[in-house]
Amino acid sequence: MIKNSDVAKVMRDLGFLTEITEEDPNVQFRARAYYRAADTIASLPENVTDIYDKYGVNGLLELPSVGKAIASKIEEYLKRGKMHHLEELKAKVPIDIDELYGIEGIGPKTIRMFYDKLHIKNLADLEKAATEGKLKTLPGFTEKKELDIFKQIEFFKRGKGRLIIGEVYPLVKQIEERLQHIAGVKNAAAAGSIRRMKETIGDIDYLVAASDPERVIDFFVKMPEVQEVLGRGQAKAFVKLASGIDADLLVVPEESWGSALQYFTGSKEHSVQLRKIAISKGLRLNEWGVFKGDKRIAGTTEEEVYKILGLQWIPPEVRENAGEIELGRQGKVPKLVEYGSLKGDLQVHSENSDGTATIEEMARGAKAFGLDYIAITDHTKSLKLAGGLEEQELLEQADRISQLNDKLREEFRILSSAEVNIMKDGSLDIPNTVLDKLDIVGAAIHSHFNLPIETQTERLIKAAKNPSVDILFHPTGRLINKRAGYPVDVEKVIEVSKDTNTVLEIDAHYDRLDLKDEYVRMAVRKGVKLVIDSDAHHPIHYSFLTFGVAQARRGWAIQSDILNTLPADKLLNALK
Ligand code: DGT
Ligand code: CA
Ligand code: CA
Ligand code: ZN
């Protein structure tokens, strides 16, 4: 039987090869549609084959992000085990997709050029060409770029096998809950990079406190998701899950829960510092507890472990040995923005552009999720393949929104808005006279990713200086593990944002998480305000906001840094 992961892979390959083979300036949008369908299918609880057997194409069309064209492609694949269009693209550019897809900093256009000019099909070919100095002979290439490619190959080799957090998070939480409910289990949690909410995950680390480790381990290795048991000891087990990621399990006695959780959460660099502090106090810290000589003096809770080391408890998201320990010592760890503190979402798409639900459905979904307001940010006219709206359509949409608001009354508010396209020269594709009739305006770059850094930076700066632009959406344009962002001097953009009271977005879609943590920290330090948006194209996507809050926390943001923790009227007052 064809598995969901097979279908998802085919859709991803299709997206990637579409980007590589087609010239169309809006090609990324079609590719994104394929990527989105892949994500939907990968995270479906039911098997897509079953859905198709029961309900046919109509069943597929019910899935979020699956429209007619994509449904018929999936149908073809389910029926024949092949997709004609994908085979055609593969024949055109026969490259090793799995290898070249994951390299940051090398976009589809470059991969195409590598293939056309040097017949580079895989990572080994690329490394060889770089070693032989052939890359720097290509148009637009320099010695420095060749060196960058070396670095990126290294980066890729290191990052190989890491999954994007959104691809594993729902499963991680399901298993965590199952472990918590095993009889005799006192505590269970996913630790490691998942608890630190890193944007990519190497493996999952489960920690359980229980008096009978054997029972927990038996349960763990027999879970339906386990594909292979890699190892098993008295208090440990290592397995490979069907989704292709490994999971570790450590079972400890209840009194070691805190110290083991601290150890297993990491990061390694953070924990190494804690051990040094312990030693400096004549103590010893390991996963079993904090010891003075042979006597255990702490370890039941994490708070206790930090306290005995003279530190305030430090949230997992900032345990990276990046200054947090010193603040812990001074009792000055920032009170990070809380999960669940967002009152609104300022990047939401409807079916009027490339979303898959009506404005009203998006509003009701947001309300059910616990939000008080959303901004409807459909794309604008120059993004034709995303169904971008013309001026008149934007204004009509704003009228409809105001009628909907009357209907929803005090319960919820929809803000009229748009994700306005920034053109090559930094101007917008909609005039300010129209934009000023909307409640709020977001602007974003969706094309011309290959401009030099100076030009690209100027482009964003020009948008920030535009008096109608309130927010710069996904400011660096990266897609994690898929494409590096366009080159841009983020520090400069942050400075201009400060001067112009422009807000920067943390796009919470797990493919983007853009701004990333270090830029969030830079913006926070400079006093630039941020918003956290889901970039939802369907109501189920509001759950992405969790990853956005995590990213904000990883960047040390507190509640007052994040404007959409405010009620709608206060938010509107705070904008330029
Ligand atoms: P990942 O899996 O690559 O996404 O990142 P982590 O942080 O989950 O790393 P992992 O799974 O290798 O180890 C889980 C935690 O266990 C890690 O965050 C800290 C701890 N740990 C692992 N190896 C060492 C070590 O050599 N020394 C110390 N102090 N802690 C370690
Ligand atoms: Ca891990
Ligand atoms: Ca591990
Ligand atoms: Zn967008």
Side-chain angles (χ1 to χ4, degrees), residues 34-210:
Y34 293 136
Y35 292 142
R36 269 207 297 273
D39 286 350
T40 300
I41 289 160
S43 57
L44 276 185
E46 317 92 19
N47 196 295
V48 65
T49 308
D50 292 339
I51 296 174
Y52 180 69
D53 288 348
K54 262 194 231 155
Y55 307 107
V57 177
N58 286 335
L60 301 177
L61 284 167
E62 294 279 299
L63 302 175
S65 308
V66 175
K68 271 198 196 123
I70 289 181
S72 87
K73 287 199 166 65
I74 296 175
E75 176 179 40
E76 185 195 352
Y77 181 68
L78 292 176
K79 274 185 169 160
R80 307 214 173 81
K82 264 188 190 268
M83 198 183 283
H84 180 67
H85 185 53
L86 178 62
E87 296 307 313
E88 268 179 359
L89 297 183
K90 278 184 177 167
K92 220 166 168 184
V93 187
I95 56 166
D96 185 328
I97 300 175
D98 294 335
E99 285 197 0
L100 297 180
Y101 178 76
I103 302 189
E104 288 227 357
I106 306 180
K109 285 214 179 82
T110 312
I111 291 178
R112 180 66 197 258
M113 178 174 68
F114 285 167
Y115 176 72
D116 287 346
K117 306 258 182 209
L118 299 172
H119 287 280
I120 290 170
K121 288 190 195 158
N122 53 37
L123 212 59
D125 292 347
L126 181 62
E127 199 165 7
K128 187 159 173 282
T131 315
E132 291 168 356
K134 283 189 180 151
L135 298 183
K136 61 171 176 278
T137 64
L138 295 173
F141 260 71
T142 55
E143 190 122 20
K144 175 172 179 309
K145 278 198 182 168
E146 192 169 81
L147 216 70
D148 284 346
I149 297 239
F150 266 122
K151 278 193 214 137
Q152 278 144 16
I153 293 172
E154 269 312 298
F155 173 85
F156 178 74
K157 283 184 179 163
R158 256 184 288 132
K160 209 170 177 163
R162 298 188 70 82
L163 292 185
I164 298 175
I165 188 166
E167 297 176 331
V168 290
Y169 193 79
L171 177 66
V172 169
K173 290 289 150 183
Q174 268 177 35
I175 294 180
E176 184 180 78
E177 176 149 351
R178 267 184 255 158
L179 294 174
Q180 284 162 352
H181 287 95
I182 303 172
V185 163
K186 297 284 189 286
N187 238 327
S193 49
I194 282 275
R195 186 158 177 253
R196 305 201 315 281
M197 297 296 276
K198 293 265 292 184
E199 52 200 37
T200 64
I201 305 298
D203 74 352
I204 310 166
D205 305 284
Y206 285 109
L207 179 69
V208 172

Side-chain angles (χ1 to χ4, degrees), residues 322 491 494 518-528 555 561:
E491 195 163 0
I494 286 174
E518 62 173 288
Y519 295 143
V520 171
R521 212 171 152 185
M522 209 184 263
V524 165
R525 214 181 281 141
K526 293 257 161 79
V528 169
D561 295 317

Side-chain angles (χ1 to χ4, degrees), residues 308-469:
I308 210 153
L309 299 178
L311 302 173
Q312 194 184 353
W313 180 81
I314 296 171
E317 294 90 336
V318 295
R319 295 184 192 171
E320 300 294 340
N321 191 29
E324 76 280 6
I325 294 176
E326 189 46 41
L327 290 185
R329 213 192 309 259
Q330 299 165 10
K332 287 185 185 159
V333 176
K335 203 177 164 320
L336 305 179
V337 57
E338 302 267 1
Y339 294 98
S341 64
L342 299 181
K343 293 200 166 64
D345 186 344
L346 301 174
Q347 196 196 150
V348 172
H349 298 263
S350 83
E351 63 179 14
N352 299 337
S353 66
D354 62 346
T356 50
T358 63
I359 294 177
E360 185 162 0
E361 284 164 347
M362 292 310 289
R364 298 206 181 277
K367 185 164 184 289
F369 189 79
L371 299 176
D372 299 335
Y373 59 93
I374 53 174
I376 295 293
T377 54
D378 281 314
H379 291 286
T380 50
K381 64 181 183 185
S382 56
L383 286 178
K384 293 216 171 48
L385 283 157
L389 304 185
E390 305 274 342
E391 288 83 356
Q392 195 51 36
E393 292 172 307
L394 276 176
L395 295 173
E396 282 164 18
Q397 176 155 302
D399 278 346
R400 274 206 308 285
I401 285 175
S402 106
Q403 287 161 19
L404 269 174
N405 278 329
D406 290 342
K407 189 166 143 192
L408 294 166
R409 305 207 161 217
E410 303 293 290
E411 289 168 41
F412 193 82
R413 181 154 175 203
I414 309 171
L415 303 174
S416 59
S417 185
E419 178 174 0
V420 185
N421 199 23
I422 301 176
M423 308 305 281
K424 190 175 178 187
D425 65 357
S427 65
L428 305 179
D429 65 343
I430 302 289
N432 289 29
T433 46
V434 173
L435 296 180
D436 289 343
K437 300 212 165 77
L438 305 177
D439 290 319
I440 183 168
V441 173
I445 284 179
H446 297 97
S447 57
H448 303 291
F449 278 40
N450 296 330
L451 301 173
I453 183 162
E454 297 77 17
T455 322
Q456 203 67 270
T457 306
E458 271 311 311
R459 206 176 162 199
L460 272 181
I461 287 178
K462 189 164 170 193
K465 286 186 173 163
N466 186 316
S468 296
V469 172

